[in-house]
């Protein structure tokens, strides 16, 4: 156990330079991109040069870039991510309000994807080349090729417009439903804590379509990975041992093969999670989901530096965190790594 | 006496990419209750296929096309899972080569043994645990209570095989199939494991089918031995008869090729013995006070020895004795923590291993590896494998000169020229060994370090490769540092031998004297652990 914690600590420290690099890189990238925020946020198209200069000075954009960078780093050090020009709020507040929405969506999507992908992967691996295997392959291919905005719209069209099963696909919760008191920011958790099951149901039914859309997209890497690693494990010596000594088929597959096969899936899961969190901007847009990705996109389109930089920093930190968690999980799941 | 297991005219085919391959062409065997039958043969002879077929563990590509397998009189050739499940593990069980891989890496060994018990008997978890503990004691694992929670990677290879044996005997089967159970284990561990197997099967009245490539092992532990070649049983007899008066030509070849206490390199391939190599007395390599630490633990400690030009020095010891570390230090693939390595009077131990490839000494000291398949670049043809050191170490350019040199090396190791265009996977084990040796002699070294060069080869191929190495040494006046766990091979190949234990030299001396009258106790133990091969040797049953 101490070995795992030590490893996690070392990992964390060694990821700090990468985090710093990401910070500087995004900062410079934002300065290079075309668009002048001062012009954008001036009162109107006929704002005078003096007004623009004034805004520029207030934003600190009149200083040389290295100095701006230092000031920015100092702000970050004190926990100040700047202020969004679009919403007028501190970026930290905006992110704090919107991150739970993104996280909730991503977690649910990942859960749905895993629940589908792992059994499908196992089935495909048990009968390679069979109809099941090809069916899974087809589903995975479809999931990857169809862009999320298409599959999302398709789901809305069928389930909301045609069948009317799904609720109005806008936002996290029906505007007429009562919001549960905020504790964690995760609506499902908050509603469950408050015991408001009606609100829980309202939030869950809003969540299910975007979550499925995202799940479909990441089904392929998870299912393919499960299949490949299951296939490899099924041919290994200890599976043969289990067979030779008369263990039941169920035990051989679920306890001996699957647990070993899931080790690489844990790694993929971390990557998939991080990717989903940042890349689900299309899903957030289609379903008017108030998440961090759509927030960052809006900010980028209006040359609003601070939110974009804050978003990238957040994503990088989450990526580091997720990798740490994956490391810990791996250490728990595989006794061999803790000695390495 | 009715047979416990009867195999009649068994035929098995494998569907491969290159068409159907016949693995068994009518194999007939019978094992009586509490009898030990050995199956010997070289790779590809079908001995493992026979065992897997009995257990019905053939992979998808394998198919039984004829014959019958009867167990306790019941035909199980085409039995389904429902018939087999209660048999496997409970009535017949199997242990495998490479025991660590045969155990689930992420499940404590205690649970794995309990899994077997609970698969066949309705017992509580606690009861299964108690029986597991008793089994671990029965297979003589020290501190069994602590080992229950251990994972396979925390146990040595010998311990893993003991765990495997515990699993196999957990439900008191009447037949135990042991497929190369000690291949890859040290000679003393091999003896301990085989003694345990013989004793366990005798005490519990179990029959054993021992599959091995080691004739000595089969001779010592089996009551009857079947010799297999190319999917057929060519001869079957008691060991004394089989080795005293082998009837089939293949058995005769196999017996002749297996190193014994008195065999010579030339004798293995049926040639006249060459004169011993005359000592040159010119010092080539001098190692003094060599020490290598890994993470504060010394793997090699205070080792000193010397090697003359044209001399062959054997390095023996068990795994963990530091012989591989020592050979890597001498090859300058590792940096010593302390001590000197002098080659031709020049201190080469001070040149960092990472830069040694640029030193002019690199071409003088070359390596032959154990696994000839893994040590050849799979994307290089045999030609490129041999030409690579010529290009890099001698700076030879493409052209007639390089081609002639490669062809000459290939000829010296007896590799037919038309094989030079092939890739490693298209070559046999013996051919790959020849490529590896040709690559090592290509830059014209004066010292060859051979790290278990024949450990992965069949005995008949080993005989030929040993003969080749011996001839090369005589022709080119090469000096050998010959690392091996096979004492008989070292005795034949080397004038002098060093015995290593826990990183230290415990004995050094002329090979003939050292093997005839060992001074150190450890050497005597190693020698005693070699399976007897003499026809008069009694089988060690019971």
């Amino acid at each position: 156990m101490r070995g795992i914690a030590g490893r996690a600590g070392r990992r964390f420290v060694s990821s700090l330079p990468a985090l710093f690099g990401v910070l500087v890189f995004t900062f410079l990238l934002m300065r290079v991109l075309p668009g002048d925020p001062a012009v954008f946020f001036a009162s109107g198209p006929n704002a005078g040069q003096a007004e623009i200069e004034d805004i520029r000075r207030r934003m600190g954009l009149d200083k040389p870039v290295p100095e701006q960078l230092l000031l920015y780093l100092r702000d970050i050090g004190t926990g100040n991510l700047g202020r969004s020009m679009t919403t007028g709020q501190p970026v930290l507040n905006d992110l704090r309000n919107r991150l739970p929405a993104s996280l909730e969506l991503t977690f649910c999507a990942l859960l749905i994807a895993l629940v589908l992908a792992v059994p499908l992967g196992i089935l495909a691996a048990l009968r390679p080349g069979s109809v099941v295997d090809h069916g899974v392959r087809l589903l995975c291919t479809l999931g990857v090729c169809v862009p999320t905005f298409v599959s999302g719209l398709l789901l809305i069209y069928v389930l909301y417009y045609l069948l009317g099963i799904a609720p109005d696909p806008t936002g996290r919760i029906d505007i007429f439903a009562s919001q549960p008191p905020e504790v964690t920011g995760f609506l499902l958790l908050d509603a469950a804590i408050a015991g408001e099951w009606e609100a829980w149901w309202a939030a869950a039914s809003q969540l299910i379509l975007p979550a499925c859309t995202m799940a479909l997209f990441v089904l392929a890497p998870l299912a393919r990975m499960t299949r490949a690693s299951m296939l490899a494990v099924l041919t290994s010596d200890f599976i043969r041992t289990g067979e030779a000594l008369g263990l039941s088929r169920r035990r051989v597959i679920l306890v001996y093969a699957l647990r070993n096969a899931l080790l690489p899936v844990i790694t993929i899961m971390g990557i998939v999670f991080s990717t989903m969190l940042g890349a689900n901007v299309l899903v957030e847009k289609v379903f008017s989901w108030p998440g961090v990705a759509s927030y960052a996109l809006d900010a980028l389109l209006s040359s609003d530096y601070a939110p974009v930089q804050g978003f990238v920093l957040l994503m990088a930190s989450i990526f580091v965190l997720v990798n740490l968690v994956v490391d810990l999980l791996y250490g728990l799941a595989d006794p061999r790594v803790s000695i390495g | 006496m009715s047979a416990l297991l009867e195999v009649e005219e068994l035929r098995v085919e494998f569907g491969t990419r290159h068409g159907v391959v016949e693995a068994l062409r009518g194999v007939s065997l019978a094992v009586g209750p509490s009898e030990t039958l050995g199956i010997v043969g070289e790779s590809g002879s079908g001995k493992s296929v026979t065992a897997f077929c009995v257990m019905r563990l053939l992979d998808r590509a394998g198919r039984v096309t004829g014959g019958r397998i009867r167990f306790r009189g019941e035909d199980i050739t085409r039995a389904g899972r429902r018939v087999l499940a209660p048999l496997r593990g409970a009535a017949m069980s199997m242990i495998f080569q490479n025991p660590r891989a045969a155990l689930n890496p992420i499940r404590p060994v205690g649970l794995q043994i309990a899994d077997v018990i609970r698969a066949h008997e309705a017992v509580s978890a606690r009861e299964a645990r108690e029986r597991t503990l008793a089994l671990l004691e029965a297979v003589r694992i020290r501190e069994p209570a602590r080992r229950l929670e251990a994972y396979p990677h925390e146990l040595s290879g010998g311990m893993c095989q003991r765990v495997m044996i515990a699993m196999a005997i957990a439900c008191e089967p009447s037949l135990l199939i042991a497929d190369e159970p000690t291949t890859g284990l040290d000679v003393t561990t091999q003896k301990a494991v085989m003694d345990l197997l013989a004793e366990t099967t005798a005490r519990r009245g179990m029959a054993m089918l021992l599959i091995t490539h080691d004739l000595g092992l089969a001779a010592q532990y089996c009551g009857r031995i079947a010799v297999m070649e190319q999917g057929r049983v060519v001869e079957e007899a008691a060991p004394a008869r089989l080795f005293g008066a082998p009837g089939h030509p293949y058995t005769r070849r196999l017996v002749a090729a297996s190193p014994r206490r008195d065999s010579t390199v030339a004798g293995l391939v049926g040639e006249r013995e060459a004169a011993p190599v005359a000592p040159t007395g010119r010092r080539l390599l001098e190692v003094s006070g060599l020490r290598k630490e890994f993470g504060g633990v010394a793997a090699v400690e205070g080792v000193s020895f010397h090697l003359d030009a044209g001399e062959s020095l054997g390095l023996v010891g068990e795994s963990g004795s530091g012989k591989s570390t020592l050979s890597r230090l001498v090859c300058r693939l590792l940096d010593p923590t302390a001590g000197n390595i002098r080659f031709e009077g020049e201190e080469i131990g001070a040149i960092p291993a990472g830069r040694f490839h640029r030193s002019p000494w690199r071409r003088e000291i070359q390596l032959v590896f154990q696994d000839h398949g893994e040590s050849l670049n799979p994307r290089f043809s045999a030609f490129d494998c041999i030409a690579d050191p010529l290009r890099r170490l001698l700076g030879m350019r493409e052209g007639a000169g390089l081609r002639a040199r490669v062809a000459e090396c290939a000829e010296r190791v007896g590799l037919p020229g038309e094989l030079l265009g092939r890739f490693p996977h298209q070559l046999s084990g013996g051919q790959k060994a020849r490529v590896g040796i040709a690559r090592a002699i290509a830059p014209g070294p004066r010292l060859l370090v051979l790290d278990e060069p024949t450990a992965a080869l069949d005995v008949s191929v080993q005989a030929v490769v040993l003969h080749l190495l011996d001839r090369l040494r005589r022709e080119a006046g090469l000096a050998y540092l010959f690392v091996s766990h096979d004492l008989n091979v070292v005795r034949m190949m080397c004038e002098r031998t060093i015995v290593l234990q826990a990183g230290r030299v415990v004995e050094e001396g002329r090979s003939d004297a050292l093997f005839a009258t060992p001074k150190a106790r450890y050497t005597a133990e190693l020698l005693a652990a070699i399976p007897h091969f003499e026809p008069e040797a009694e089988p060690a049953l019971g």
Side-chain angles (χ1 to χ4, degrees):
Chain A
M1 208 56 212
R2 172 173 292 175
I4 296 171
R7 227 158 37 89
R10 275 198 303 281
R11 263 294 174 86
F12 179 71
V13 171
S14 64
S15 60
L16 288 179
L19 271 182
F20 180 75
V22 167
L23 268 181
V24 174
F25 181 75
T26 344
F27 179 85
L28 294 178
L29 189 69
M30 288 306 292
R31 296 306 182 276
V32 174
L33 286 180
D36 186 344
V39 175
F40 197 90
F41 291 108
S43 53
N46 45 6
Q49 194 61 31
E51 189 191 340
I52 294 176
E53 285 303 323
D54 185 49
I55 294 175
R56 188 165 287 150
R57 202 167 45 252
R58 268 194 289 130
M59 294 170 76
L61 296 175
D62 55 334
K63 300 189 178 75
V65 171
E67 197 186 335
Q68 287 184 40
L69 177 62
L70 284 179
L71 287 174
Y72 171 60
L73 290 178
R74 193 197 63 199
D75 281 351
I76 298 247
T78 57
N80 176 12
L81 295 184
R83 188 176 280 274
S84 163
M85 303 297 284
T86 340
T87 62
Q89 294 289 316
V91 171
L92 200 61
N93 279 5
D94 278 346
L95 289 179
R96 197 182 287 148
N97 288 336
R98 286 165 160 265
L99 184 62
S102 284
L103 281 179
E104 189 170 41
L105 178 60
T106 308
F107 270 125
C108 289
L110 187 66
L111 195 70
I112 294 172
L114 278 178
V115 164
L116 285 175
V118 171
L120 285 179
I122 297 174
L123 282 180
L126 287 181
R127 304 221 179 289
S130 69
V131 179
V132 181
D133 190 15
H134 289 298
V136 173
R137 185 170 299 150
L138 181 72
L139 186 67
C140 289
T141 316
L142 276 180
V144 167
C145 335
V146 180
T148 45
F149 56 87
V150 174
S151 54
L153 287 176
L154 202 69
L155 283 177
I156 293 174
Y157 177 70
V158 175
L159 294 176
Y160 169 65
Y161 181 75
L162 285 185
L163 302 176
I165 306 171
D168 179 13
T170 43
R172 299 177 74 186
I173 193 159
D174 191 356
I175 37 169
F176 299 113
S178 60
Q179 287 261 0
E182 185 170 328
V183 184
T184 58
F186 293 83
L187 284 185
L188 291 181
L189 282 184
D190 286 350
I193 290 170
E196 294 175 18
W197 297 109
E198 215 164 295
W200 190 89
W201 178 245
S205 52
Q206 289 290 104
L207 184 67
I208 198 79
L209 279 195
C212 282
T213 310
M214 279 171 78
L216 215 56
F217 193 60
V218 298
L219 195 63
L222 293 172
R224 299 306 283 170
M225 193 51 156
T226 309
R227 177 185 181 271
S229 98
M230 194 75 185
L231 269 180
V233 169
L234 280 174
T235 55
S236 55
D237 285 3
F238 60 90
I239 294 300
R240 191 184 58 192
T241 305
E243 292 275 340
L245 297 179
L247 301 191
S248 65
R249 185 97 182 125
R250 203 187 145 80
R251 195 158 194 84
V252 168
I253 289 169
L254 293 183
V255 179
Y256 279 62
L258 183 59
R259 280 196 202 163
N260 278 284
L262 282 182
L263 295 176
V265 178
I266 293 178
T267 312
I268 287 287
M269 217 168 75
I271 297 169
V272 163
F273 180 82
S274 314
T275 318
M276 273 160 96
L277 198 57
N280 59 13
V281 56
L282 291 174
V283 178
E284 289 188 0
K285 280 286 168 201
V286 168
F287 290 93
S288 318
W289 198 260
V292 280
S294 56
Y295 171 69
L297 183 67
D298 290 342
L300 185 68
L301 292 178
S302 51
S303 296
D304 195 356
Y305 290 170
V308 178
Q309 286 165 179
F311 171 75
V312 173
L313 178 62
L314 177 75
M315 283 301 137
S317 316
I318 288 180
F319 196 74
V320 168
L321 196 73
V322 166
N323 275 331
L324 272 181
V325 171
V326 164
D327 248 25
L328 287 175
L329 278 180
Y330 210 100
L332 288 178
D334 188 347
R336 284 167 298 184
V337 290
S338 48
I339 55 160
Chain B
M1 182 174 79
S2 72
L4 179 70
L5 174 73
E6 281 172 286
V7 177
E8 284 170 25
E9 282 298 315
L10 191 64
R11 290 175 174 275
V12 171
E13 286 179 356
F14 279 86
T16 69
R17 233 186 296 174
H18 310 293
V20 174
V21 176
E22 267 196 308
L24 299 186
R25 311 160 189 235
V27 170
S28 299
L29 292 168
V31 185
S34 51
E35 184 197 23
T36 300
L37 173 71
I39 303 184
V40 298
E42 300 188 292
S43 41
S45 62
K47 53 190 197 304
S48 286
V49 174
T50 310
F52 280 82
C53 208
V54 170
M55 293 296 291
R56 298 290 307 282
L57 290 173
L58 284 185
D59 59 40
R60 260 166 236 256
R63 204 161 56 86
V64 176
T65 52
R68 264 194 302 190
I69 303 167
R70 264 199 293 243
F71 183 71
R72 291 178 183 157
E74 188 185 353
D75 191 338
I76 56 164
T77 324
R78 282 176 181 78
R81 233 195 137 77
R82 197 169 301 170
V83 180
L84 286 173
L87 287 183
R88 291 205 281 219
M92 53 183 187
S93 56
M94 187 161 179
I95 61 174
F96 303 91
Q97 191 177 346
N98 194 359
R100 189 167 293 135
L103 295 172
N104 188 342
I106 60 169
R107 195 162 171 81
V109 294
L111 280 183
Q112 295 189 49
I113 302 175
D115 278 344
V116 176
I117 299 175
R118 301 189 74 185
H120 297 286
E121 291 166 44
V123 293
S124 67
R126 169 188 268 182
E127 208 175 320
R129 193 186 149 91
E130 277 164 16
R131 277 181 53 186
T132 302
L133 204 58
L135 279 166
L136 285 182
E137 268 166 30
V139 295
R140 291 195 217 104
I141 284 188
R142 259 170 286 168
E143 299 182 77
R146 256 187 56 206
R147 302 294 177 216
L148 281 177
E149 313 299 329
Y151 292 95
H153 71 270
E154 296 166 336
L155 303 176
S156 68
M159 290 249 258
C160 283
Q161 193 59 290
R162 283 165 197 269
V163 169
M164 197 59 230
I165 293 173
M167 285 168 76
I169 62 171
C171 296
E172 309 262 334
S174 45
L175 174 68
L176 178 66
I177 300 177
D179 183 13
E180 303 269 9
T182 57
T183 306
L185 299 181
D186 281 325
V187 58
T188 48
T189 316
Q190 159 169 304
K191 183 171 165 48
V193 166
M194 282 311 301
D195 284 349
L196 173 70
L197 267 178
E199 193 200 300
T200 310
T201 48
R203 177 145 33 90
R204 298 176 185 231
M206 288 160 61
M208 178 157 71
L209 193 61
L210 176 67
I211 291 155
T212 179
H213 66 281
D214 187 337
L215 295 188
L217 200 70
Q220 194 171 358
Y221 291 97
C222 300
R224 214 151 40 87
I225 296 176
V227 181
M228 282 189 72
E229 186 204 13
Q230 296 183 348
R232 286 193 189 92
V233 175
V234 294
E235 190 167 2
E236 192 184 325
R241 246 213 45 225
L242 199 69
F243 299 124
H248 194 272
Y250 177 73
T251 317
R252 272 203 290 273
R253 264 211 318 282
L254 205 59
V255 170
S258 300
R260 303 189 222 189
R261 284 179 187 176
D262 55 350
S263 40
T264 60
V265 175
L268 293 183
V269 289
E271 281 186 23
R272 284 245 319 279
E273 195 174 342
V277 178
T280 56
R282 202 168 55 80
R283 205 43 58 86
L284 185 68
L285 177 77
E286 179 125 30
V287 170
S288 56
L290 205 58
R291 179 182 162 82
K292 174 70 188 175
E293 284 180 8
F294 291 108
V297 182
V300 167
E301 172 86 75
V303 170
S304 305
F305 64 88
H306 63 86
L307 181 62
D308 288 348
E311 194 189 18
S312 173
L313 177 68
L315 204 55
V316 299
E318 299 188 287
S319 42
S321 64
K323 57 186 194 307
S324 287
T325 306
L326 186 55
S327 71
R328 273 177 208 148
L329 287 169
V330 171
C331 291
R332 303 301 299 109
L333 295 174
L334 278 179
D335 283 324
T337 311
N340 302 87
I341 305 169
R342 280 202 195 81
F343 188 81
E344 291 280 358
E346 199 88 21
E347 173 62 41
I348 59 165
I351 306 171
R355 284 217 294 275
F356 195 75
H357 65 279
R358 268 181 281 173
S359 140
W361 298 111
R362 177 72 285 167
R363 52 173 296 199
E364 304 282 352
I365 307 174
Q366 288 288 311
L367 249 173
V368 177
F369 298 91
Q370 170 172 6
D371 193 326
H372 301 285
E374 293 287 307
S375 62
L376 297 178
N377 187 334
R379 301 261 175 273
F380 273 16
S381 65
F383 180 90
D384 285 323
C385 286
I386 302 171
D388 201 39
L390 293 172
R391 291 182 190 130
R392 288 167 188 274
L393 295 176
L394 307 191
M396 288 180 80
R397 298 288 174 82
E398 299 300 323
L402 183 74
R403 279 200 302 277
R405 183 76 175 262
V406 171
E408 182 214 322
C409 290
E411 198 196 321
R412 280 173 68 196
V413 299
L415 187 73
E418 62 265 26
L419 295 183
L420 282 174
R422 292 207 189 164
F423 287 93
H425 70 270
Q426 298 167 317
L427 297 171
S428 73
Q431 288 163 347
K432 277 186 270 195
R434 286 177 203 266
V435 175
I437 295 168
R439 176 177 62 180
I441 61 166
R446 269 179 286 180
L447 171 63
L448 267 196
V449 177
L450 302 120
D451 189 3
E452 306 258 12
T454 57
L457 301 175
D458 278 326
V459 279
S460 59
V461 183
Q462 161 172 293
V464 174
V465 170
L466 288 179
H467 188 241
L468 163 70
L469 286 170
D470 197 51
R471 200 195 73 219
L472 282 176
R473 180 163 80 97
R474 288 161 194 275
E475 282 173 5
L478 284 169
Y480 283 176
L481 184 63
F482 197 102
V483 181
S484 180
H485 69 280
D486 191 328
L487 301 162
N488 276 325
V489 168
V490 169
R491 181 188 51 71
M492 291 186 297
M493 292 296 293
C494 308
E495 281 99 35
R496 278 190 305 127
T497 300
I498 292 178
V499 183
L500 278 180
Q501 185 190 18
R504 291 170 189 274
V505 176
V506 293
E507 189 166 358
E508 181 185 355
R510 290 196 53 83
S511 299
D512 40 12
L514 187 138
F515 286 103
T517 50
K519 289 192 190 66
R521 227 185 90 185
Y522 179 68
T523 315
E525 271 174 34
L526 284 182
L527 285 169
I530 307 177
H532 297 297
F533 191 69
E534 287 65 29
E536 64 274 13
E538 286 296 309
L541 280 177

